[in-house]
Amino acid sequence: MTKTRVRFAPSPTGFLHIGGLRTALYNYLFARHTGGDCILRIEDTDQNREVEGAAQNLIDTLHYMGIDFDESPLKPGKHGPYIQSERLDLYHKYANYLLDAGHAYYCFCSSETLQQMREEQQAKGEFVKYDRRCLNLSTAEIENNLAAGIPYVIRLRMPDDRIFAFEDEVRGHVEMNSFQSDDQVLIKSDGFPTYHLAAIIDDHFMKISHVIRGEEWLSSTPKHIWLYECFGWEPPIWVHLPLILNPDRSKLSKRMNDVSVESYLNKGYLKEALLNFVALLGWHPADDRELYSLDELCESFSLERVNKSGAVFDLTKLDWMNRHYLRTLPLEVIAERAASWFQPQDIVDQSRYHKIIAAARERSTLLPDLAEYARMFFASDPISDDNIEIVSSDDSRKVLAWFKEQIKDISAEDAEKILEITKTGIKELGIKGKAFYMPLRIALLGQPHGPDLPTIISILGVEESCRRIEHYL
RNA sequence: GACCCCUUCGUCUAUCGGUAAGGACUCAAGAUUUUCAUUCUUGCAAGAGGGGUUCGAUUCCCCUAGGGGUCGCCA
């Protein structure tokens, strides 16, 4: 079998979104799993929608996520260029071939004409498609129009009544009648190709073996197959992925959701969680395993286990996964990624900062939660009246005074000693554990919840601990 | 509207004709814990409907319904 080659081919019209990430990921996983190549191709054929800097942003985000390509605009291979706007000559060459072979024709209809035509068809309840009024233009007419500089497009001439059948790796046998397929525009009036022409030509010359893309492309596949036939090329294996859905089960969209990968990263989701989560949206291993690193995914992934039906993008499970990775990734990694949410002065003392992260990660979902949790160690937020009441009772003061005396000369790192002190404290003062810990926690942290005492003191240090206690004496 | 795709707990899913339909998230209850968080246990919760085929269907076929996608000089 020849080497598998797949591609992720986004158009630079905005940020990478969740659906794009999943498509890129599956392409990547399939390539890695089969020892093939994964290619990144930029499809910038729509001059109007192109967003400045979007291509670079896409590349950066993908790279950050750990999805790397064997060939890309930044890492050209033998089949470049990898940006479609740099391949215009190629598209024209093959458009001309189609024209000569009678598989394509010039169309001089203006957009107004087209719009009117569609409205009429719609009014009559007809299937809306190009009525081919330019199909039978004489050579002379075409020459004249061309000479007169009338804007034109080149359309593909679809067969009239033909069943296009193909085997889709995830959907199995699919059939569609060509009368549903419009005479697709191949070359636009600005001279740029449409997706349909450019992708087929590129996929062929880049030797793509599997086209792995979203289900929204399923219905245009007959056009693509026809194009392959016209050129006499071998089509790739088709793989149409189920869509990722909004909670209302419509196609995941910006309108309803935040869908850019960057926005999730900015909210403090970890790439490991995002990748793991998105991998499971449409693919599932044979067993019950749910936690996968990128490498493990590469090992386990297979097209056979890709699902057919769409999957709702559900934040609660993503949150759970993020909590998992927040707790299990190396501490230094979490500390580093969380740093931007902290005040610069708060992370100067790295050892202390790490202790704080260690305590906070057990109780957080997102990266910024870490900083929020850490406030108790830095800031002096106002204390609630209830808490002041608790901490200023006579009994509480007794605890505070006694405890301060006990710890003032010990090492903040001596957890065992601190534990021992608390035990004797409860015994000596003859009180319940709660009456012992509550006032201490309020005095030390400003509120009754938080890590265990040894951890608090280790973070605060003996001096600061005593100072905070004294405040309430 | 036409065509195509899809249909198991609220969500992600397992099941390759024979299961008490399993797991995970969420939620609830309980246990553990000085608090918070963790952890553990238990529980709630599903085969869209109707026909077939079969000794036996969630699984295969058909119909219906529902949902989605596509119908651009956007990808």
Side-chain angles (χ1 to χ4, degrees):
Chain A
M1 192 180 156
T2 54
K3 197 175 193 185
T4 57
R5 284 175 58 87
V6 295
R7 60 13 178 223
F8 176 57
S11 59
T13 54
F15 296 117
L16 178 68
H17 64 96
I18 295 294
L21 174 66
R22 207 264 321 249
T23 303
L25 179 63
Y26 282 15
N27 273 285
Y28 174 81
L29 295 177
F30 180 65
R32 289 293 163 269
H33 185 81
T34 56
D37 294 328
C38 190
I39 290 124
L40 176 69
R41 184 173 73 219
I42 299 295
E43 309 219 322
D44 58 341
T45 55
D46 187 342
Q47 297 282 281
N48 301 319
R49 290 203 314 152
E50 179 154 4
V51 172
E52 178 80 28
Q56 188 58 46
N57 181 276
L58 248 20
I59 291 172
D60 292 344
T61 305
L62 253 6
H63 178 70
Y64 174 76
M65 294 304 288
I67 298 176
D68 288 314
F69 297 91
D70 300 290
E71 296 167 29
S72 78
L74 264 32
K75 190 185 173 189
K78 280 183 278 195
H79 309 284
Y82 295 84
I83 297 178
Q84 290 187 325
S85 59
E86 296 172 13
R87 300 168 65 86
L88 263 24
D89 290 348
L90 190 65
Y91 307 133
H92 282 278
K93 178 181 165 191
Y94 284 91
N96 287 332
Y97 167 81
L98 256 16
L99 243 17
D100 292 342
H103 292 311
Y105 58 95
Y106 287 99
C107 170
F108 297 91
C109 294
S110 66
S111 51
E112 293 74 34
T113 309
L114 258 17
Q115 194 183 334
Q116 195 189 341
M117 176 202 76
R118 287 186 187 117
E119 279 166 10
E120 284 168 13
Q121 290 173 334
Q122 206 137 41
K124 281 190 248 168
E126 289 171 2
F127 181 65
V128 177
K129 67 189 277 192
Y130 182 59
D131 62 9
R132 292 183 163 168
R133 62 184 73 180
C134 287
L135 176 58
N136 295 313
L137 259 28
S138 69
T139 317
E141 279 174 297
I142 293 171
E143 296 294 335
N144 283 342
N145 285 345
L146 253 24
I150 297 176
Y152 66 90
V153 302
I154 296 174
R155 285 181 185 274
L156 174 66
R157 190 198 193 293
M158 283 299 286
D160 288 322
D161 187 26
R162 227 196 88 172
I163 303 287
F164 281 98
F166 57 97
E167 300 303 318
D168 185 285
E169 277 288 287
V170 344
R171 268 147 238 285
H173 187 78
V174 180
E175 280 188 8
M176 272 177 253
N177 194 300
S178 64
F179 79 81
Q180 283 293 323
S181 300
D182 206 348
D183 279 357
Q184 185 63 48
V185 170
L186 262 18
I187 298 283
K188 299 180 266 195
S189 56
D190 64 1
F192 275 72
T194 57
Y195 168 88
H196 305 279
L197 209 224
I200 268 59
I201 292 175
D202 290 347
D203 286 342
H204 171 71
F205 286 107
M206 293 182 179
K207 302 193 181 325
I208 300 303
S209 62
H210 296 66
V211 167
I212 304 174
R213 51 163 36 166
E215 194 196 312
E216 68 266 29
W217 293 106
L218 192 60
S219 45
S220 39
T221 305
K223 290 171 190 171
H224 303 162
I225 292 177
W226 176 237
L227 243 9
Y228 275 98
E229 266 186 50
C230 291
F231 289 130
W233 296 337
E234 183 73 18
I237 291 168
W238 306 102
V239 187
H240 288 95
L241 269 17
L243 262 16
I244 297 181
L245 275 21
N246 289 309
D248 73 350
R249 305 203 76 85
S250 60
K251 184 174 161 186
L252 190 66
S253 69
K254 291 184 189 123
R255 289 180 51 90
M256 290 196 60
N257 253 313
D258 222 341
V259 293
S260 83
V261 172
E262 213 170 80
S263 80
Y264 283 93
L265 258 12
N266 289 338
K267 280 181 199 156
Y269 284 96
L270 298 162
K271 63 178 176 181
E272 289 80 0
L274 239 22
L275 243 20
N276 192 159
F277 177 66
V278 136
L280 259 20
L281 250 31
W283 172 85
H284 201 276
D287 57 26
D288 288 330
R289 183 168 173 194
E290 309 231 47
L291 267 7
Y292 283 90
S293 68
L294 187 53
D295 285 344
E296 290 166 336
L297 283 170
C298 289
E299 205 172 305
S300 305
F301 186 81
S302 73
L303 256 20
E304 294 82 66
R305 296 201 62 87
V306 171
N307 292 108
K308 290 183 176 65
S309 51
V312 172
F313 186 77
D314 175 32
L315 273 323
T316 59
K317 193 151 187 178
L318 208 211
D319 282 345
W320 164 75
M321 239 174 218
N322 211 67
R323 276 194 288 276
H324 168 79
Y325 284 106
L326 206 55
R327 283 152 216 236
T328 54
L329 252 21
L331 184 62
E332 312 80 65
V333 171
I334 299 299
E336 198 191 319
R337 295 203 200 157
S340 61
W341 273 279
F342 282 78
Q343 297 296 324
Q345 68 268 22
D346 291 342
I347 60 175
V348 172
D349 183 342
Q350 279 280 305
S351 134
R352 180 171 133 104
Y353 173 56
H354 277 64
K355 284 181 203 163
I356 290 171
I357 294 294
R361 79 199 306 207
E362 298 296 330
R363 298 156 174 87
S364 301
T365 299
L366 303 174
L367 252 12
D369 297 345
L370 261 18
E372 179 60 30
Y373 190 80
R375 286 171 63 96
M376 60 175 80
F377 300 111
F378 300 120
S380 42
D381 289 340
I383 303 180
S384 77
D385 292 348
D386 286 354
N387 288 332
I388 287 186
E389 203 173 305
I390 293 172
V391 81
S392 12
S393 75
D394 288 346
D395 286 346
S396 294
R397 282 167 190 249
K398 246 181 259 171
V399 171
L400 295 182
W402 183 88
F403 190 75
K404 197 200 113 188
E405 251 342 276
Q406 299 295 312
I407 64 163
K408 68 174 198 240
D409 294 321
I410 68 161
S411 156
E413 303 304 322
D414 196 345
E416 235 167 89
K417 178 73 182 166
I418 295 169
L419 240 29
E420 193 190 308
I421 292 173
T422 60
K423 267 185 209 158
T424 28
I426 291 169
K427 204 182 283 174
E428 260 183 48
L429 299 171
I431 53 172
K432 290 194 170 168
K434 192 178 172 187
F436 183 82
Y437 288 102
M438 272 252 276
L440 278 173
R441 241 191 225 95
I442 293 171
L444 292 169
L445 304 174
Q447 41 114 355
H449 302 306
D452 54 273
L453 231 33
T455 304
I456 296 174
I457 290 169
S458 160
I459 291 171
L460 254 24
V462 167
E463 202 179 317
E464 171 68 9
S465 296
C466 290
R467 206 180 57 71
R468 289 190 180 193
I469 289 172
E470 256 163 47
H471 182 77
Y472 292 94
L473 289 178

